[in-house]
Amino acid sequence: QIARLDRAPSCKTTRLRLIISRLWSAQRGLYIPIFQMGACGGKGPGPNTVTDAEAMTCMPKSMATVEARPSSRFLADRTQEDRSLFVAKTYAVATLQAALTTLIALPIATWSSQAWWNEHMVLYYIIVAGFVISYIAAPVFFMPWIELAPSDAIYMALLSVAAGIVSGLTSAVYGLFWVALTPLCVAGSYFGLCAFVLAAQSDLETPLAYIFTVFQSILGFGVFLAIYENPVTAALQVLLPQLFGFFSVYDIKSMVQELHPGCQFTIDDAVFGAASLNLDVVSRPLGIVVGGDPDS
């Protein structure tokens, strides 16, 4: 790598810039090398050509070892093994998020009084409207914040709690316990896909993940039919989680292939990938309705 500057920085300045670069890289999960530097000791004013070997002399040995790794961490430039690991990690984060939603929803659905909420439906509508508005507004106003760590994890936790409250209240108000169980089924769908990706070392390039999701749907329908003894309720319990499963394969595949609108993911962006998956559940179908294009 070469860099040309009007004036070469000192070795001390170069070290400082490299440290800042590494701190920012650790925070964002990106490899952002600083090539715009002069040789150690400085060569005076004017354009300078700096080689990797010269740049490494400005760094401590431990830092030089880190910087000597492959420069591209973007998924399209990585091996299939790296991409499959990203997919598995993204599914693992999404599974934890859905499981947390379930832990919030089930106690609310179990212990809330349907009679009390029927007398205070205005409060229920306010809570639901606040959740919907904040869910839609988050990518509009807070996307730069959501993209960074650890705020992406904080966003996922807040979304899980809010979705759990709405799911639990909806189950209690309308007496539909299967609504509170839906996040658990979504978690099961994501967990199954995570296990499939790890076992098959798949980066979702082939349609096998869709076939596996169909298999999960059939298996889930059989299980819930045995529990509810009502085919309609069993179908409702399975339908929404498996729609999430199908969409997740499509959406995460677009991340891996760098076809995701507006975002380019690295192998360290699993949490942000899971956050994007949650946001895309609404935004991409909305793009089809509004503009006929899921990426609009």
Side-chain angles (χ1 to χ4, degrees), residues 131-209:
F131 170 75
V132 172
I133 292 172
S134 61
Y135 181 81
I136 296 175
V140 177
F141 297 103
F142 303 108
M143 183 55 76
W145 180 75
I146 295 173
E147 289 178 352
L148 299 176
S151 51
D152 51 359
I154 295 173
Y155 166 78
M156 290 286 287
L158 293 175
L159 178 61
S160 301
V161 172
I165 292 172
V166 172
S167 178
L169 289 179
T170 301
S171 179
V173 168
Y174 296 103
L176 301 173
F177 191 71
W178 64 268
V179 174
L181 283 178
T182 297
L184 180 62
C185 298
V186 173
S189 176
Y190 287 161
F191 179 80
L193 285 165
C194 179
F196 165 79
V197 168
L198 287 174
Q201 289 292 300
S202 171
D203 59 355
L204 305 182
E205 289 286 344
T206 66
L208 287 177

Side-chain angles (χ1 to χ4, degrees), residues 95-141:
T95 300
L96 292 175
Q97 184 251 343
L100 177 59
T101 301
T102 306
L103 291 177
I104 302 296
L106 287 180
I108 294 176
T110 303
W111 296 329
S112 295
S113 171
Q114 184 177 8
W116 189 90
W117 280 105
N118 287 337
E119 296 175 359
H120 301 82
M121 289 297 290
V122 175
L123 177 60
Y124 167 74
Y125 291 139
I126 291 174
I127 293 174
V128 173
F131 170 75
V132 172
I133 292 172
S134 61
Y135 181 81
I136 296 175
V140 177
F141 297 103

